[in-house]
Amino acid sequence: FTRCSRKSMTIYSKGTLCEKQEEEFNWLLKEEVHAVLKQLQDILKEASRRFSMPSPGLEGQLKQENFILGSSTMDQVKGVLTLQGEALTQADINIKVAKSSQVMHFAFRDDKQWKLQQIQDARNHVNQALQLLSSHDQSYHFKTGAEVNKLMDAVMLQLTRARNRLTTPASMTLPELAASGLMKMFTPPMPGDVMVNFYINLSKLCLTVYQLHVLQPNTTKNFKSAGSSVLHNPGAMFEYNNTKFEVSHVHKVECVVPWLNDTLVFFTISLQLCQQLKDKISVFSSFWNYRPF
């Protein structure tokens, strides 16, 4: 955009844009803003679709995907998880007990499934961003740059929250994990010295297994309850149901969920588009002060 010359500025009343800038700015508000909004809607509709992929040939059902958890360097924990949208509908886990090398097998009860709150929240934030965009369709007339910026800030806030839900798993204390409904999902029931947790980290579905041992009353003089964390380390202590425990072993296994990676890419592209539009609007900020920006 070309700046008005000092000579041309004297022709117009104080504080106005020269005619060239006025035309360019009006074109931006009328045409380019809506082109960017359409582009954002297309990208975010694709992102939203990733959260609810239909099952081929089964109308109304979400696609089920199986993911194998394990590590080439560690065989203490192995498993197969079935993900259907935001829900883990089945988990089949083998845990090798550290002391005896005995393998314990657990699976979700048939009547249970576990909602992954991170995926549910991220999807909701995407849908809120789409609602904001659809409320300003092609027939809507933006009157000021400030109005565009306000919309972009609101959309960026939802997209940032969506991304943060996938990149920042919730911290939990060990008593919170012990009391979690997840512990009641399995058959046979989890023993009192094993705890598990599922969470999303970026595009990975993670399973953490904690093996515990009970602290005897005569060994608790240095007891210090661990705080809240995504991943607790061996040696962490906590009290639950009047019993003191210490984490003896921690095993973490994970697998990549490709469509989660897709959604993170869509979030990044959309945030860049929003910022680029804001930058174009700001180019005009030096050309006027007679109307709000």
Side-chain angles (χ1 to χ4, degrees):
F1 303 106
T2 56
R3 184 184 292 273
C4 302
S5 68
R6 186 181 298 274
K7 183 178 179 181
S8 67
M9 287 296 282
T10 62
I11 300 173
Y12 302 92
S13 59
K14 185 179 178 182
T16 64
L17 290 172
C18 70
E19 191 173 313
K20 175 68 173 170
Q21 267 67 51
E22 189 77 57
E23 287 177 5
E24 288 176 348
F25 184 61
N26 285 335
W27 178 86
L28 178 70
L29 289 181
K30 186 178 179 183
E31 303 294 340
E32 185 158 359
V33 168
H34 283 293
V36 173
L37 298 190
K38 174 67 167 61
Q39 198 174 356
L40 282 168
Q41 277 188 297
D42 289 345
I43 294 169
L44 294 181
K45 282 177 182 175
E46 195 59 39
S48 180
R49 194 175 70 85
R50 290 294 196 279
F51 287 104
S52 53
M53 294 290 282
S55 182
L58 294 172
E59 191 174 340
Q61 286 195 25
L62 297 182
K63 181 181 178 183
Q64 283 194 340
E65 300 172 283
N66 292 327
F67 296 97
I68 297 173
L69 293 166
S71 167
S72 58
T73 58
M74 182 186 78
D75 63 354
Q76 279 91 346
V77 176
K78 292 182 178 179
V80 178
L81 304 182
T82 303
L83 185 62
Q84 189 172 18
E86 65 202 27
L88 280 174
T89 56
Q90 188 50 266
D92 198 286
I93 303 170
N94 291 319
I95 303 170
K96 185 181 286 187
V97 181
K99 294 176 184 176
S100 63
S101 293
Q102 172 196 356
V103 176
M104 297 185 293
H105 176 257
F106 304 96
F108 276 179
R109 288 165 41 185
D110 289 340
D111 61 333
K112 296 286 187 181
Q113 55 177 245
W114 185 250
K115 291 277 187 182
L116 291 166
Q117 192 66 44
Q118 288 173 267
I119 294 180
Q120 189 173 30
D121 290 348
R123 186 192 65 183
N124 289 341
H125 287 306
V126 171
N127 289 338
Q128 285 174 23
L130 279 167
Q131 286 177 7
L132 286 166
L133 293 168
S134 62
S135 66
H136 297 76
D137 62 15
Q138 193 70 35
S139 63
Y140 186 87
H141 176 57
F142 290 94
K143 297 177 180 64
T144 65
E147 193 180 5
V148 179
N149 278 349
K150 184 179 178 181
L151 175 60
M152 289 299 95
D153 286 341
V155 171
M156 291 174 79
L157 178 63
Q158 294 301 329
L159 294 179
T160 301
R161 286 175 174 172
R163 184 173 64 183
N164 287 349
R165 285 302 283 131
L166 298 180
T167 60
T168 313
S171 293
M172 294 181 73
T173 65
L174 289 164
E176 285 172 343
L177 190 57
S180 163
L182 185 57
M183 296 304 107
K184 302 174 180 67
M185 297 277 295
F186 293 92
T187 181
M190 284 271 173
D193 59 354
V194 175
M195 296 194 306
V196 299
N197 191 22
F198 297 109
Y199 58 88
I200 301 295
N201 186 12
L202 293 166
S203 60
K204 293 178 180 176
L205 175 57
C206 306
L207 163 65
T208 304
V209 177
Y210 297 99
Q211 291 182 249
L212 316 170
H213 69 258
V214 176
L215 290 170
Q216 300 304 316
N218 61 348
T219 63
T220 59
K221 59 181 179 180
N222 294 321
F223 177 83
K224 183 182 178 184
S225 188
S228 184
S229 180
V230 175
L231 183 66
H232 294 272
N233 294 319
M237 301 180 207
F238 69 102
E239 185 172 355
Y240 184 66
N241 286 344
N242 298 317
T243 304
K244 292 182 170 69
F245 294 92
E246 182 179 18
V247 175
S248 56
H249 296 84
V250 181
H251 308 296
K252 179 186 172 187
V253 287
E254 57 190 27
C255 60
V256 173
V257 180
W259 62 263
L260 282 177
N261 189 62
D262 292 345
T263 59
L264 288 167
V265 171
F266 291 143
F267 295 162
T268 300
I269 294 170
S270 299
L271 285 164
Q272 288 172 347
L273 282 171
C274 291
Q275 187 59 53
Q276 285 166 5
L277 184 56
K278 288 186 67 177
D279 291 344
K280 286 181 180 179
I281 294 289
S282 72
V283 168
F284 287 96
S285 64
S286 60
F287 295 133
W288 81 89
N289 59 19
Y290 74 102
R291 59 180 174 179
F293 173 69

